[in-house]
Structures are given as structure tokens and as C-alpha cells.
Amino acid sequence: MATERARLDPYSRIAGKQRCPAPPEDRRFQVHHLQAVVKAAKIGMLVTRDPNGNLHSRAMTPAHVSSDFQLNLVFLANNVSSKFEEIENDSHVNVSFLDPSSTDWASYSGRARVTQDKELIHKHWSSFVSGYIGNLGDGVHKGDEGDPRVAVIEIIPDEVKYWVSEQSAISRAVQVAVSAAMGKATAPGELRTIRKEEIQLAQGSTKID
């Protein structure tokens, strides 16, 4: 089955060549490039599932990474919003990022964990969050980091796939055009996968908080 799939999907076969599992030096390389993709994209699409099975996505900006080995994503959000109910119903989520300028992208599949840990909120607080939740003027919901609506959504990935382009836009277009003319598949970049065991090894290199 795997051999036949590779034959019928040459693009993924060409793009996805990599060692498995990756040695320590490759893990550092992978995480560094993944973080660069997320930083360039700036905004991710968080996908959750409601009790009826419907998938909902929304744009969210992750907090800055706190270590060279960080693979978890951290978001600050209003815990009254529907995404928190959906996470409570089903913690399985996906977060995807795309950098249009390079076509680099990343897709995180894993689980979401919700917390209102004050130290964690303080560590990742940004004044931009205030613009999304607002000051209700009741002396309690002030739109600051002490607002009881503020919560952390931490994405703990089970697997991360990401694409890194290896050429400029012009070179990519030329390579694809030439390959199409020759009737051959091509992949002007590399599709990389960070698997669960590699994530655990990388996270073990440092404590994410």
C-alpha cells in the first residue's frame, strides 16, 4: 500500500524525504525552521470541533516562543468565546500557518489545554489582547491581564508537518513549468514531519512554561 501510494503521489514522495526518527542535530534544525515559519506567518488558523461535528476555524496570533526547543503554541483569548466550549467538548485541534511570500506553511495536530495560570498569562501578556476583549467598565472586566475572561490556550502537538521552500518564487515557477512540460512531478521545497516521539524528545530538552 505504501509503495503504491508513493507511486501515485510522487509530489509527496519527492518533498517528504527525510530521516526517521531525526537525530538530535536534525531536531534542532527542524524546530528552528518551524519556529521561523510560524514567526513569518504571524497569524495561525485554530480549528476546533463543536458537539455536532462541525469544524470551526478562526485567526489567532500565538505568543512569542520562550525557548529554542518550544513546539507548543500559546494563545491568549477570551474564555467566554465559543472556542472554549468546543475545546471542552473535544480537545483535538489543528493550527495552520501560511507565509504567502515564500509559500512556507505549517500544520500542528494535537490537543488544546486551557488554563488561567496567572504567571503564564503575565509571561505571555500583550496589550493587543485588550483590543479584543475590551473594558466593560464594571471594575472587574477591565480588559487587562487580571480580567477573569483572559485564559491561555496551549496547543500540545502530537505531530507537526511543515513545508519549507528551497527556491525563489521565480525559480519555483520555472521548475514546475519545466517539470510539467516534461511530464514529471517536482517539489520545489521540502515537506518535513516532526513526529510524536521527536516532539517528546525535543520538549524534554527544555521545560516549556
Side-chain angles (χ1 to χ4, degrees):
M1 178 66 72
T3 302
E4 181 66 1
R5 182 184 295 116
R7 185 182 73 83
L8 295 174
D9 184 12
Y11 175 88
S12 296
R13 172 174 51 81
I14 296 168
K17 289 182 178 178
Q18 66 181 61
R19 284 177 286 178
C20 174
E25 61 273 16
D26 281 7
R27 287 198 296 273
R28 288 191 291 269
F29 173 83
Q30 287 178 329
V31 175
H32 171 75
H33 276 260
L34 174 62
Q35 290 178 346
V37 172
V38 172
K39 183 177 180 180
K42 297 183 175 64
I43 297 173
M45 297 298 294
L46 170 64
V47 180
T48 55
R49 187 191 302 272
D50 73 12
N52 296 319
N54 299 311
L55 298 175
H56 298 147
S57 62
R58 73 283 293 164
M60 298 188 70
T61 303
H64 294 299
V65 298
S66 58
S67 81
D68 292 339
F69 281 94
Q70 181 175 335
L71 285 168
N72 291 6
L73 296 170
V74 175
F75 299 98
L76 294 179
N78 185 343
N79 61 20
V80 182
S81 62
S82 60
K83 56 182 165 287
F84 284 85
E85 294 179 1
E86 293 176 1
I87 289 171
E88 183 178 0
N89 172 69
D90 185 349
S91 64
H92 292 88
V93 297
N94 178 270
V95 186
S96 58
F97 297 87
L98 170 66
D99 176 13
S101 65
S102 65
T103 70
D104 292 352
W105 57 264
S107 175
Y108 289 70
S109 298
R111 294 177 179 267
R113 182 176 72 92
V114 174
T115 178
Q116 286 190 291
D117 182 270
K118 298 302 182 184
E119 291 185 7
L120 199 56
I121 292 174
H122 176 73
K123 178 177 181 177
H124 296 291
W125 177 256
S126 168
S127 59
F128 284 102
V129 179
S130 300
Y132 289 100
I133 63 176
N135 184 344
L136 302 186
D138 59 6
V140 177
H141 303 94
K142 298 184 288 185
D144 58 11
E145 63 181 273
D147 192 311
R149 294 173 294 170
V150 177
V152 171
I153 300 175
E154 182 180 18
I155 309 302
I156 305 167
D158 291 321
E159 181 182 80
V160 183
K161 289 182 178 290
Y162 68 106
W163 165 270
V164 177
S165 177
E166 298 174 334
Q167 303 176 27
S168 66
I170 294 176
S171 296
R172 290 197 302 270
V174 170
Q175 181 177 334
V176 172
V178 171
S179 296
M182 297 176 64
K184 296 182 178 180
T186 186
E190 185 178 347
L191 177 61
R192 301 169 182 159
T193 301
I194 305 179
R195 298 170 177 80
K196 189 169 186 177
E197 61 270 22
E198 294 169 326
I199 292 171
Q200 292 171 342
L201 288 170
Q203 301 289 52
S205 300
T206 185
K207 183 177 183 298
I208 306 301
D209 55 16

